[in-house]
Amino acid sequence: MQGEHRDLRTGRTVWEAGGLPLLPRSQMRGDIETDILIVGAGITGAIVADVLTQAGLTVAIADRRSPVRGSTAASTALLLAEIDTPLTVLAERIGRRDAGRAWLRSRRSVRDLARRAAGIPCDWAQRDALYLAGDVLDARALEKEADARQSIGWPCDYLGKDELRRHYGIARSGAIRSRDNAEVDPVRLAGGFLRRALARGARIFAPVEITDVSPSPRQVTARARNGFAFKAAALVYASGYELPRLVPRGGHRVVSTWAMATAPQPDRLWRSRCLVWEASDPYLYMRTTRDGRVVIGGEDEDFSDAVSRDALIDKKTAALEGKLHALFPDLDARAELAWAGSFGVSRTGLPTIGRLRGKPNCFAVLGFGGNGITFAMIAAQLLRGYLRGPRDPDSDLFAFK
C-alpha cells in the first residue's frame, strides 16, 4: 500500500449544507502521460493545479475519493496571515531572520490568494484578526510579540484589557489586532480552482488510488490499483494527512480537532466580525459566515483513531459551546452543526514543501499547522519555481531537511 488511509472527518460540516461541488472526471482506461501528477484533489491540490496549469504545464489529478471530499470540507477556513507559532517563539527556534521571512511570506500568500480567488464565488471576506492573551502568551508577552511583529513591518496594534472590552466586549487581559486576513468557504474555493485548472486542460481521475511509485531521473511512474499507470515528468503529493510511506514524517504529527457552527444570528455578532483566536495550547479559534453563523473550533488532542475521536464529538461540542458563551455571553452558543477532523502540526508551525530526498522528480506538500490554505498558496508558488524556474528565494525555509 503506497499511503495510509484515514477517516479524515465525521459529522456534518457547515460547508456541506450547500452541497459539495460536482466536477467532471476522466476515466482511466489506460496509462496516462502528463507533465505533472498531483495526488490529492482537495484545496492544496486545487491551488497547485491552478498555478501549474497557468504556468503551461499539463496536469493530472488523482484522488482515492471524489474531489473535495476529504479534510477540505472540515476546514474552518480562517485565512490567517499569522502563523500558529508566535514570531517571538519561532525566532528562538529558527532564528530571527528566518522567522521574519516565514511570517512575511505567510502574509504575502494571503494577499496572493485573494488576487487568485477573484472571480470565484466562495464568500471571500477580508477580516481583521484578534489574537487573545492565553496560557502561551500572557498580556506582557503579547505586548512583546506585537513589538516584534511591528519591527518586521507587520501591520498590527496591541489592545489592553480596557480597550479590548470597550471595542469588542471581550474580557481578556490583552490582544493583538492585525490586518490582511480573510475568511472563505473552502469547498467552493477549491471547486473554483479545480474548474479553472480543468478549463486549461487538467484532468481529474477519481476515485483512483495510487499504490506504487517508481521515480527515476527521467520519469515518475505511479501505478494505480486498477493496474494502469501515470507517467509524469514530476509527481506532487498534496494528500494532506494521508502520507505515503516515502514522505518523511519527522517533526510532524497528526491530531484530532473538533468544530461546530451555530444557527445564523447576524444581529448578535461581535464588532467587525473579525477572526478571533487565542495564544493558548490548544487554542480556540472562531469566525463568522456570510449568513451570520459562528464557526468555532479547537479542543485539539493527539490522534489515536477515528472511533475514539468521533466518540468525543458530543463532549467536545459542549466544551466549545461553553467557551463561546464565556467569550460572547449575548450569542446563542448552541451548536446546529458539529464535526470532527484530522489536523497536522509541526514543531515550528511551518509547512514542509519541496523535493523528496533520494526520490527524483517527487515533491510533497505537508501544509501542517493552522494555516493550511495559506500554506497551500506558498506551496504552489514554490513548486512553480522548482518546475518552471526561477527557484523561489524562500524555498530553503520550507524544504525537507
Side-chain angles (χ1 to χ4, degrees):
M1 189 65 62
Q2 182 61 29
E4 59 185 321
H5 289 191
R6 293 187 189 275
D7 183 359
L8 294 176
R9 58 185 176 85
T10 303
R12 186 164 180 257
T13 77
V14 68
W15 320 118
E16 293 173 293
L20 295 173
L22 298 176
L23 297 159
R25 286 170 276 176
S26 299
Q27 296 296 314
M28 195 176 184
R29 297 191 174 94
D31 291 352
I32 305 296
E33 294 191 4
T34 185
D35 290 335
I36 311 297
L37 171 63
I38 298 172
V39 180
I43 185 62
T44 300
I47 296 173
V48 172
D50 181 47
V51 170
L52 295 186
T53 54
Q54 187 182 48
L57 294 164
T58 60
V59 168
I61 306 165
D63 199 308
R64 73 181 191 89
R65 298 179 179 82
S66 296
V68 202
R69 295 313 196 266
S71 295
T72 299
S75 171
T76 47
L78 286 75
L79 304 190
L80 286 162
E82 302 162 77
I83 293 170
D84 274 6
T85 305
L87 179 59
T88 48
V89 176
L90 188 59
E92 294 174 356
R93 295 179 183 175
I94 67 173
R96 291 178 60 185
R97 178 177 177 273
D98 285 349
R101 287 171 61 201
W103 267 70
L104 291 173
R105 184 56 185 261
S106 181
R107 179 173 172 238
R108 171 189 149 188
S109 73
V110 175
R111 297 198 306 267
D112 292 345
L113 191 57
R115 286 191 288 269
R116 187 162 288 273
I120 296 176
C122 58
D123 294 342
W124 184 285
Q126 294 297 121
R127 299 291 188 211
D128 287 347
L130 279 181
Y131 187 44
L132 306 177
D135 60 20
V136 172
L137 298 179
D138 60 16
R140 178 172 292 186
L142 213 58
E143 284 194 78
K144 293 180 180 178
E145 173 72 11
D147 289 342
R149 295 185 188 185
Q150 290 166 356
S151 73
I152 65 169
W154 193 274
C156 69
D157 56 309
Y158 177 78
L159 305 179
K161 178 180 179 179
D162 293 341
E163 194 174 7
L164 181 60
R165 181 183 285 276
R166 183 168 62 252
H167 287 293
Y168 297 97
I170 295 175
R172 285 290 178 92
S173 58
I176 294 175
R177 179 172 54 196
S178 66
R179 295 179 286 281
D180 295 334
N181 306 283
E183 64 189 29
V184 72
D185 179 330
V187 167
R188 294 173 68 193
L189 182 67
F193 282 135
L194 287 171
R195 289 188 184 92
R196 191 181 289 167
L198 289 168
R200 298 191 189 108
R203 291 176 291 172
I204 298 174
F205 298 88
V208 168
E209 184 174 358
I210 303 299
T211 57
D212 183 70
V213 172
S214 301
S216 75
R218 295 186 59 188
Q219 179 178 265
V220 180
T221 301
R223 194 158 298 279
R225 183 172 294 281
N226 60 20
F228 299 123
F230 294 92
K231 298 179 179 180
L235 178 149
V236 175
Y237 280 109
S239 51
Y241 314 126
E242 294 180 303
L243 298 178
R245 287 196 299 268
L246 55 78
V247 176
R249 289 163 168 74
H252 304 88
R253 61 189 174 92
V254 175
V255 302
S256 296
T257 190
W258 291 265
M260 53 160 272
T262 69
Q265 47 190 312
D267 296 333
R268 294 187 179 184
L269 301 176
W270 56 90
R271 177 180 174 181
S272 80
R273 297 174 63 155
C274 58
L275 311 181
V276 180
W277 62 307
E278 59 183 9
S280 296
D281 185 19
Y283 64 81
L284 192 72
Y285 48 95
M286 66 187 73
R287 53 161 291 188
T288 61
T289 62
R290 185 178 182 180
D291 61 353
R293 299 178 188 269
V294 177
V295 174
I296 178 172
E299 292 294 300
D300 303 347
E301 59 182 60
D302 285 343
F303 177 87
S304 54
D305 58 75
V307 173
S308 300
R309 179 197 66 198
D310 297 349
L312 292 172
I313 288 180
D314 289 345
K315 177 182 177 181
K316 296 291 189 176
T317 299
L320 291 172
E321 289 175 331
K323 289 183 176 182
L324 179 58
H325 177 73
L327 205 58
F328 295 108
D330 293 335
L331 286 175
D332 179 355
R334 292 172 296 177
E336 187 171 275
L337 301 165
W339 62 96
S342 297
F343 176 77
V345 296
S346 68
R347 184 185 68 86
T348 60
L350 299 180
T352 305
I353 303 160
R355 296 182 185 274
L356 298 179
R357 292 181 180 272
K359 304 294 186 293
N361 301 310
C362 290
F363 302 81
V365 180
L366 277 61
F368 289 2
N371 307 58
I373 299 176
T374 307
F375 290 160
M377 185 71 249
I378 296 176
Q381 293 169 333
L382 266 59
L383 289 166
R384 187 192 187 287
Y386 280 118
L387 297 166
R388 276 299 202 198
R391 185 167 177 142
D392 192 289
D394 289 331
S395 59
D396 64 300
L397 279 174
F398 308 104
F400 286 88
K401 305 300 189 232

Short mmCIF file of all heavy atoms in Angstrom, two decimals, residues 295-355:
data_model
loop_
_atom_site.label_atom_id
_atom_site.label_comp_id
_atom_site.label_asym_id
_atom_site.label_seq_id
_atom_site.Cartn_x
_atom_site.Cartn_y
_atom_site.Cartn_z
N VAL A 295 -18.64 29.99 13.47
CA VAL A 295 -17.92 28.72 13.35
C VAL A 295 -16.77 28.77 14.34
O VAL A 295 -15.98 29.71 14.34
CB VAL A 295 -17.38 28.51 11.92
CG1 VAL A 295 -16.51 27.25 11.85
CG2 VAL A 295 -18.53 28.41 10.93
N ILE A 296 -16.70 27.77 15.21
CA ILE A 296 -15.68 27.75 16.25
C ILE A 296 -15.06 26.37 16.32
O ILE A 296 -15.74 25.36 16.15
CB ILE A 296 -16.30 28.16 17.61
CG1 ILE A 296 -15.27 28.11 18.73
CG2 ILE A 296 -17.51 27.32 17.96
CD1 ILE A 296 -15.78 28.69 20.06
N GLY A 297 -13.75 26.33 16.55
CA GLY A 297 -13.06 25.04 16.62
C GLY A 297 -11.97 25.06 17.67
O GLY A 297 -11.59 26.10 18.20
N GLY A 298 -11.46 23.86 17.95
CA GLY A 298 -10.38 23.74 18.91
C GLY A 298 -10.47 22.44 19.67
O GLY A 298 -10.91 21.41 19.14
N GLU A 299 -10.05 22.47 20.93
CA GLU A 299 -10.06 21.28 21.80
C GLU A 299 -9.16 20.17 21.27
O GLU A 299 -9.39 18.98 21.51
CB GLU A 299 -11.49 20.75 21.98
CG GLU A 299 -12.41 21.67 22.76
CD GLU A 299 -11.97 21.81 24.21
OE1 GLU A 299 -11.92 20.79 24.94
OE2 GLU A 299 -11.65 22.95 24.61
N ASP A 300 -8.11 20.53 20.51
CA ASP A 300 -7.27 19.53 19.85
C ASP A 300 -6.57 18.61 20.84
O ASP A 300 -6.19 19.01 21.94
CB ASP A 300 -6.19 20.23 19.00
CG ASP A 300 -6.76 21.19 17.97
OD1 ASP A 300 -7.98 21.15 17.74
OD2 ASP A 300 -5.98 21.98 17.41
N GLU A 301 -6.39 17.36 20.41
CA GLU A 301 -5.58 16.41 21.16
C GLU A 301 -5.01 15.39 20.19
O GLU A 301 -5.47 15.27 19.05
CB GLU A 301 -6.39 15.73 22.26
CG GLU A 301 -7.59 14.96 21.79
CD GLU A 301 -8.37 14.34 22.96
OE1 GLU A 301 -8.85 15.09 23.83
OE2 GLU A 301 -8.49 13.09 22.99
N ASP A 302 -4.00 14.66 20.61
CA ASP A 302 -3.33 13.72 19.72
C ASP A 302 -4.32 12.71 19.14
O ASP A 302 -5.20 12.19 19.84
CB ASP A 302 -2.21 12.97 20.46
CG ASP A 302 -0.99 13.85 20.69
OD1 ASP A 302 -0.87 14.88 20.01
OD2 ASP A 302 -0.15 13.48 21.54
N PHE A 303 -4.15 12.44 17.84
CA PHE A 303 -5.00 11.49 17.14
C PHE A 303 -4.61 10.07 17.53
O PHE A 303 -3.43 9.70 17.53
CB PHE A 303 -4.84 11.67 15.62
CG PHE A 303 -5.63 10.69 14.80
CD1 PHE A 303 -6.94 10.96 14.46
CD2 PHE A 303 -5.06 9.50 14.36
CE1 PHE A 303 -7.67 10.06 13.69
CE2 PHE A 303 -5.77 8.60 13.59
CZ PHE A 303 -7.09 8.89 13.25
N SER A 304 -5.61 9.27 17.88
CA SER A 304 -5.36 7.85 18.12
C SER A 304 -6.02 7.02 17.02
O SER A 304 -5.36 6.31 16.28
CB SER A 304 -5.88 7.44 19.51
OG SER A 304 -7.25 7.80 19.67
N ASP A 305 -7.33 7.18 16.90
CA ASP A 305 -8.06 6.53 15.82
C ASP A 305 -9.39 7.25 15.66
O ASP A 305 -9.82 8.00 16.54
CB ASP A 305 -8.27 5.03 16.10
CG ASP A 305 -9.02 4.79 17.40
OD1 ASP A 305 -10.25 5.00 17.43
OD2 ASP A 305 -8.36 4.41 18.40
N ALA A 306 -10.03 7.02 14.52
CA ALA A 306 -11.25 7.76 14.21
C ALA A 306 -12.39 7.42 15.17
O ALA A 306 -13.21 8.28 15.50
CB ALA A 306 -11.68 7.47 12.77
N VAL A 307 -12.44 6.18 15.64
CA VAL A 307 -13.52 5.79 16.54
C VAL A 307 -13.42 6.57 17.85
O VAL A 307 -14.42 7.12 18.36
CB VAL A 307 -13.47 4.27 16.80
CG1 VAL A 307 -14.50 3.89 17.87
CG2 VAL A 307 -13.75 3.50 15.51
N SER A 308 -12.20 6.66 18.40
CA SER A 308 -12.02 7.41 19.65
C SER A 308 -12.31 8.89 19.45
O SER A 308 -12.94 9.53 20.30
CB SER A 308 -10.58 7.22 20.16
OG SER A 308 -10.30 5.86 20.41
N ARG A 309 -11.85 9.42 18.32
CA ARG A 309 -12.10 10.83 18.03
C ARG A 309 -13.59 11.12 17.93
O ARG A 309 -14.11 12.09 18.52
CB ARG A 309 -11.41 11.20 16.70
CG ARG A 309 -11.59 12.63 16.24
CD ARG A 309 -11.23 12.76 14.77
NE ARG A 309 -12.15 12.02 13.92
CZ ARG A 309 -11.90 11.68 12.66
NH1 ARG A 309 -10.76 11.99 12.11
NH2 ARG A 309 -12.80 11.01 11.96
N ASP A 310 -14.30 10.28 17.19
CA ASP A 310 -15.71 10.54 16.94
C ASP A 310 -16.55 10.36 18.21
O ASP A 310 -17.59 11.02 18.37
CB ASP A 310 -16.23 9.60 15.85
CG ASP A 310 -15.53 9.85 14.52
OD1 ASP A 310 -14.82 10.88 14.41
OD2 ASP A 310 -15.66 9.02 13.61
N ALA A 311 -16.10 9.49 19.12
CA ALA A 311 -16.83 9.27 20.35
C ALA A 311 -16.83 10.52 21.23
O ALA A 311 -17.67 10.65 22.14
CB ALA A 311 -16.24 8.10 21.12
N LEU A 312 -15.93 11.44 20.95
CA LEU A 312 -15.82 12.65 21.76
C LEU A 312 -16.57 13.85 21.18
O LEU A 312 -16.52 14.94 21.75
CB LEU A 312 -14.33 13.02 21.92
CG LEU A 312 -13.48 12.07 22.76
CD1 LEU A 312 -12.01 12.46 22.66
CD2 LEU A 312 -13.93 12.08 24.21
N ILE A 313 -17.26 13.67 20.06
CA ILE A 313 -17.89 14.82 19.40
C ILE A 313 -18.85 15.55 20.35
O ILE A 313 -18.80 16.78 20.48
CB ILE A 313 -18.61 14.40 18.11
CG1 ILE A 313 -17.59 14.04 17.02
CG2 ILE A 313 -19.52 15.52 17.61
CD1 ILE A 313 -18.21 13.61 15.71
N ASP A 314 -19.71 14.82 21.04
CA ASP A 314 -20.68 15.48 21.93
C ASP A 314 -19.97 16.22 23.07
O ASP A 314 -20.32 17.37 23.39
CB ASP A 314 -21.65 14.46 22.51
CG ASP A 314 -22.64 13.93 21.46
OD1 ASP A 314 -22.74 14.55 20.39
OD2 ASP A 314 -23.28 12.90 21.73
N LYS A 315 -18.98 15.58 23.68
CA LYS A 315 -18.26 16.20 24.78
C LYS A 315 -17.50 17.44 24.32
O LYS A 315 -17.54 18.49 24.98
CB LYS A 315 -17.28 15.19 25.38
CG LYS A 315 -16.43 15.75 26.50
CD LYS A 315 -15.44 14.70 27.02
CE LYS A 315 -14.53 15.28 28.09
NZ LYS A 315 -13.55 14.25 28.57
N LYS A 316 -16.83 17.33 23.18
CA LYS A 316 -16.05 18.46 22.68
C LYS A 316 -16.96 19.60 22.21
O LYS A 316 -16.63 20.77 22.38
CB LYS A 316 -15.14 18.00 21.53
CG LYS A 316 -14.08 16.99 21.95
CD LYS A 316 -13.03 17.61 22.85
CE LYS A 316 -11.86 16.67 23.09
NZ LYS A 316 -10.77 17.27 23.88
N THR A 317 -18.09 19.25 21.63
CA THR A 317 -19.04 20.28 21.20
C THR A 317 -19.55 21.06 22.41
O THR A 317 -19.65 22.29 22.38
CB THR A 317 -20.21 19.65 20.43
OG1 THR A 317 -19.71 18.99 19.26
CG2 THR A 317 -21.21 20.71 20.01
N ALA A 318 -19.86 20.36 23.49
CA ALA A 318 -20.31 21.04 24.71
C ALA A 318 -19.23 21.97 25.25
O ALA A 318 -19.52 23.08 25.72
CB ALA A 318 -20.70 20.00 25.76
N ALA A 319 -17.97 21.54 25.16
CA ALA A 319 -16.87 22.39 25.62
C ALA A 319 -16.75 23.64 24.76
O ALA A 319 -16.54 24.75 25.27
CB ALA A 319 -15.56 21.61 25.62
N LEU A 320 -16.90 23.48 23.44
CA LEU A 320 -16.84 24.64 22.54
C LEU A 320 -18.00 25.59 22.80
O LEU A 320 -17.83 26.82 22.79
CB LEU A 320 -16.83 24.17 21.09
CG LEU A 320 -15.58 23.42 20.62
CD1 LEU A 320 -15.78 22.84 19.22
CD2 LEU A 320 -14.36 24.35 20.62
N GLU A 321 -19.19 25.05 23.02
CA GLU A 321 -20.34 25.89 23.34
C GLU A 321 -20.08 26.70 24.60
O GLU A 321 -20.38 27.91 24.66
CB GLU A 321 -21.59 25.02 23.53
CG GLU A 321 -22.13 24.41 22.25
CD GLU A 321 -23.28 23.47 22.50
OE1 GLU A 321 -23.34 22.86 23.60
OE2 GLU A 321 -24.13 23.31 21.60
N GLY A 322 -19.50 26.06 25.61
CA GLY A 322 -19.22 26.75 26.86
C GLY A 322 -18.20 27.86 26.69
O GLY A 322 -18.35 28.96 27.25
N LYS A 323 -17.16 27.62 25.90
CA LYS A 323 -16.13 28.64 25.68
C LYS A 323 -16.67 29.80 24.85
O LYS A 323 -16.32 30.96 25.10
CB LYS A 323 -14.92 28.01 25.00
CG LYS A 323 -14.14 27.08 25.91
CD LYS A 323 -12.90 26.52 25.23
CE LYS A 323 -12.08 25.67 26.21
NZ LYS A 323 -10.83 25.16 25.58
N LEU A 324 -17.53 29.51 23.88
CA LEU A 324 -18.12 30.57 23.08
C LEU A 324 -19.03 31.44 23.95
O LEU A 324 -18.99 32.68 23.86
CB LEU A 324 -18.91 29.98 21.91
CG LEU A 324 -19.62 30.98 21.00
CD1 LEU A 324 -18.64 31.97 20.39
CD2 LEU A 324 -20.38 30.24 19.89
N HIS A 325 -19.83 30.81 24.79
CA HIS A 325 -20.72 31.57 25.67
C HIS A 325 -19.92 32.44 26.64
O HIS A 325 -20.29 33.59 26.91
CB HIS A 325 -21.63 30.63 26.45
CG HIS A 325 -22.52 31.32 27.42
ND1 HIS A 325 -23.61 32.09 27.04
CD2 HIS A 325 -22.48 31.42 28.79
CE1 HIS A 325 -24.20 32.61 28.10
NE2 HIS A 325 -23.52 32.23 29.18
N ALA A 326 -18.82 31.89 27.16
CA ALA A 326 -18.00 32.66 28.11
C ALA A 326 -17.39 33.88 27.45
O ALA A 326 -17.26 34.94 28.08
CB ALA A 326 -16.91 31.76 28.68
N LEU A 327 -17.02 33.78 26.18
CA LEU A 327 -16.39 34.89 25.48
C LEU A 327 -17.41 35.91 25.00
O LEU A 327 -17.18 37.13 25.09
CB LEU A 327 -15.58 34.34 24.30
CG LEU A 327 -14.40 35.17 23.79
CD1 LEU A 327 -13.39 35.42 24.90
CD2 LEU A 327 -13.73 34.46 22.62
N PHE A 328 -18.55 35.42 24.50
CA PHE A 328 -19.61 36.30 23.98
C PHE A 328 -20.96 35.87 24.59
O PHE A 328 -21.73 35.13 23.96
CB PHE A 328 -19.67 36.23 22.45
CG PHE A 328 -18.45 36.74 21.76
CD1 PHE A 328 -17.57 35.87 21.13
CD2 PHE A 328 -18.17 38.11 21.72
CE1 PHE A 328 -16.45 36.35 20.49
CE2 PHE A 328 -17.04 38.60 21.08
CZ PHE A 328 -16.17 37.71 20.47
N PRO A 329 -21.27 36.32 25.80
CA PRO A 329 -22.47 35.87 26.51
C PRO A 329 -23.78 36.18 25.79
O PRO A 329 -24.79 35.50 26.04
CB PRO A 329 -22.40 36.61 27.85
CG PRO A 329 -20.96 36.99 28.01
CD PRO A 329 -20.45 37.24 26.63
N ASP A 330 -23.79 37.18 24.92
CA ASP A 330 -25.04 37.56 24.26
C ASP A 330 -25.36 36.69 23.04
O ASP A 330 -26.44 36.80 22.46
CB ASP A 330 -24.98 39.03 23.82
CG ASP A 330 -24.94 39.97 25.02
OD1 ASP A 330 -25.42 39.58 26.10
OD2 ASP A 330 -24.42 41.09 24.88
N LEU A 331 -24.41 35.85 22.63
CA LEU A 331 -24.65 34.98 21.49
C LEU A 331 -25.43 33.74 21.90
O LEU A 331 -25.37 33.29 23.04
CB LEU A 331 -23.32 34.52 20.88
CG LEU A 331 -22.51 35.53 20.07
CD1 LEU A 331 -21.17 34.92 19.68
CD2 LEU A 331 -23.27 35.96 18.83
N ASP A 332 -26.16 33.17 20.94
CA ASP A 332 -26.72 31.84 21.11
C ASP A 332 -25.59 30.86 20.77
O ASP A 332 -25.26 30.66 19.60
CB ASP A 332 -27.91 31.64 20.18
CG ASP A 332 -28.52 30.25 20.29
OD1 ASP A 332 -27.97 29.41 21.03
OD2 ASP A 332 -29.53 29.99 19.62
N ALA A 333 -25.00 30.26 21.79
CA ALA A 333 -23.80 29.43 21.60
C ALA A 333 -24.12 27.98 21.27
O ALA A 333 -23.19 27.16 21.14
CB ALA A 333 -22.93 29.50 22.85
N ARG A 334 -25.37 27.63 21.10
CA ARG A 334 -25.71 26.24 20.85
C ARG A 334 -25.31 25.83 19.42
O ARG A 334 -25.47 26.58 18.47
CB ARG A 334 -27.20 26.02 21.05
CG ARG A 334 -27.66 26.14 22.51
CD ARG A 334 -29.16 26.12 22.62
NE ARG A 334 -29.78 27.26 21.95
CZ ARG A 334 -31.09 27.45 21.84
NH1 ARG A 334 -31.92 26.54 22.34
NH2 ARG A 334 -31.57 28.52 21.23
N ALA A 335 -24.80 24.61 19.31
CA ALA A 335 -24.35 24.09 18.00
C ALA A 335 -25.55 23.61 17.18
O ALA A 335 -26.40 22.88 17.67
CB ALA A 335 -23.39 22.94 18.21
N GLU A 336 -25.58 24.04 15.94
CA GLU A 336 -26.55 23.49 15.00
C GLU A 336 -25.90 22.40 14.15
O GLU A 336 -26.55 21.46 13.71
CB GLU A 336 -27.11 24.60 14.10
CG GLU A 336 -28.24 24.15 13.22
CD GLU A 336 -28.93 25.31 12.51
OE1 GLU A 336 -29.83 25.92 13.12
OE2 GLU A 336 -28.54 25.61 11.36
N LEU A 337 -24.61 22.53 13.92
CA LEU A 337 -23.82 21.55 13.17
C LEU A 337 -22.54 21.30 13.97
O LEU A 337 -21.99 22.22 14.58
CB LEU A 337 -23.46 22.07 11.78
CG LEU A 337 -24.63 22.42 10.85
CD1 LEU A 337 -24.13 23.25 9.68
CD2 LEU A 337 -25.30 21.15 10.35
N ALA A 338 -22.03 20.08 13.93
CA ALA A 338 -20.79 19.76 14.64
C ALA A 338 -20.05 18.68 13.87
O ALA A 338 -20.67 17.81 13.24
CB ALA A 338 -21.08 19.30 16.07
N TRP A 339 -18.72 18.72 13.95
CA TRP A 339 -17.92 17.73 13.22
C TRP A 339 -16.55 17.57 13.87
O TRP A 339 -16.13 18.37 14.68
CB TRP A 339 -17.79 18.11 11.75
CG TRP A 339 -17.10 19.42 11.43
CD1 TRP A 339 -15.79 19.59 11.11
CD2 TRP A 339 -17.70 20.72 11.36
NE1 TRP A 339 -15.52 20.92 10.83
CE2 TRP A 339 -16.69 21.64 10.98
CE3 TRP A 339 -18.99 21.21 11.58
CZ2 TRP A 339 -16.91 23.01 10.83
CZ3 TRP A 339 -19.22 22.57 11.43
CH2 TRP A 339 -18.19 23.45 11.06
N ALA A 340 -15.89 16.48 13.49
CA ALA A 340 -14.53 16.20 13.94
C ALA A 340 -13.66 15.97 12.72
O ALA A 340 -14.15 15.55 11.66
CB ALA A 340 -14.51 14.96 14.84
N GLY A 341 -12.38 16.25 12.85
CA GLY A 341 -11.48 16.06 11.73
C GLY A 341 -10.06 15.82 12.18
O GLY A 341 -9.77 15.78 13.38
N SER A 342 -9.19 15.62 11.21
CA SER A 342 -7.76 15.45 11.47
C SER A 342 -7.03 16.72 11.12
O SER A 342 -7.41 17.46 10.21
CB SER A 342 -7.22 14.28 10.64
OG SER A 342 -7.84 13.07 11.01
N PHE A 343 -5.94 16.95 11.82
CA PHE A 343 -5.23 18.22 11.72
C PHE A 343 -3.76 17.94 11.95
O PHE A 343 -3.39 17.21 12.87
CB PHE A 343 -5.81 19.16 12.79
CG PHE A 343 -5.16 20.50 12.92
CD1 PHE A 343 -5.44 21.50 12.01
CD2 PHE A 343 -4.30 20.78 13.97
CE1 PHE A 343 -4.87 22.76 12.15
CE2 PHE A 343 -3.72 22.02 14.11
CZ PHE A 343 -4.00 23.01 13.20
N GLY A 344 -2.88 18.47 11.13
CA GLY A 344 -1.46 18.21 11.27
C GLY A 344 -0.73 19.35 11.93
O GLY A 344 -1.06 20.52 11.72
N VAL A 345 0.26 19.03 12.74
CA VAL A 345 1.07 20.05 13.39
C VAL A 345 2.54 19.72 13.19
O VAL A 345 2.92 18.56 13.00
CB VAL A 345 0.75 20.17 14.90
CG1 VAL A 345 -0.67 20.63 15.12
CG2 VAL A 345 0.99 18.84 15.62
N SER A 346 3.37 20.76 13.24
CA SER A 346 4.81 20.58 13.14
C SER A 346 5.47 21.28 14.31
O SER A 346 4.85 22.10 14.99
CB SER A 346 5.34 21.15 11.81
OG SER A 346 5.22 22.56 11.79
N ARG A 347 6.73 20.99 14.54
CA ARG A 347 7.45 21.55 15.68
C ARG A 347 7.52 23.06 15.59
O ARG A 347 7.45 23.76 16.60
CB ARG A 347 8.87 20.97 15.74
CG ARG A 347 9.68 21.43 16.94
CD ARG A 347 11.10 20.91 16.87
NE ARG A 347 11.84 21.54 15.79
CZ ARG A 347 12.48 22.70 15.89
NH1 ARG A 347 12.44 23.39 17.01
NH2 ARG A 347 13.13 23.20 14.86
N THR A 348 7.65 23.60 14.38
CA THR A 348 7.79 25.04 14.20
C THR A 348 6.48 25.74 13.87
O THR A 348 6.41 26.96 13.94
CB THR A 348 8.78 25.33 13.05
OG1 THR A 348 8.28 24.74 11.85
CG2 THR A 348 10.16 24.77 13.36
N GLY A 349 5.45 24.97 13.48
CA GLY A 349 4.23 25.59 12.99
C GLY A 349 4.31 25.93 11.51
O GLY A 349 3.36 26.47 10.94
N LEU A 350 5.44 25.58 10.86
CA LEU A 350 5.63 25.85 9.44
C LEU A 350 5.34 24.59 8.62
O LEU A 350 5.49 23.47 9.10
CB LEU A 350 7.06 26.31 9.16
CG LEU A 350 7.53 27.58 9.86
CD1 LEU A 350 8.98 27.89 9.46
CD2 LEU A 350 6.63 28.75 9.51
N PRO A 351 4.96 24.77 7.37
CA PRO A 351 4.78 23.62 6.49
C PRO A 351 6.13 23.11 6.01
O PRO A 351 7.16 23.78 6.16
CB PRO A 351 3.98 24.22 5.32
CG PRO A 351 4.48 25.63 5.23
CD PRO A 351 4.72 26.05 6.67
N THR A 352 6.12 21.91 5.44
CA THR A 352 7.29 21.38 4.74
C THR A 352 6.89 21.18 3.29
O THR A 352 5.91 20.49 3.00
CB THR A 352 7.76 20.07 5.36
OG1 THR A 352 8.00 20.26 6.76
CG2 THR A 352 9.05 19.59 4.71
N ILE A 353 7.66 21.78 2.39
CA ILE A 353 7.31 21.79 0.97
C ILE A 353 8.59 21.62 0.17
O ILE A 353 9.57 22.34 0.40
CB ILE A 353 6.66 23.13 0.57
CG1 ILE A 353 5.42 23.42 1.42
CG2 ILE A 353 6.32 23.14 -0.93
CD1 ILE A 353 5.02 24.90 1.43
N GLY A 354 8.61 20.68 -0.76
CA GLY A 354 9.80 20.59 -1.61
C GLY A 354 10.07 19.20 -2.13
O GLY A 354 9.21 18.32 -2.12
N ARG A 355 11.29 19.02 -2.59
CA ARG A 355 11.73 17.75 -3.16
C ARG A 355 11.89 16.70 -2.06
O ARG A 355 12.29 17.01 -0.95
CB ARG A 355 13.08 17.91 -3.86
CG ARG A 355 13.08 18.84 -5.06
CD ARG A 355 14.47 18.85 -5.69
NE ARG A 355 14.55 19.81 -6.78
CZ ARG A 355 14.21 19.53 -8.04
NH1 ARG A 355 13.78 18.30 -8.34
NH2 ARG A 355 14.30 20.44 -8.98
#
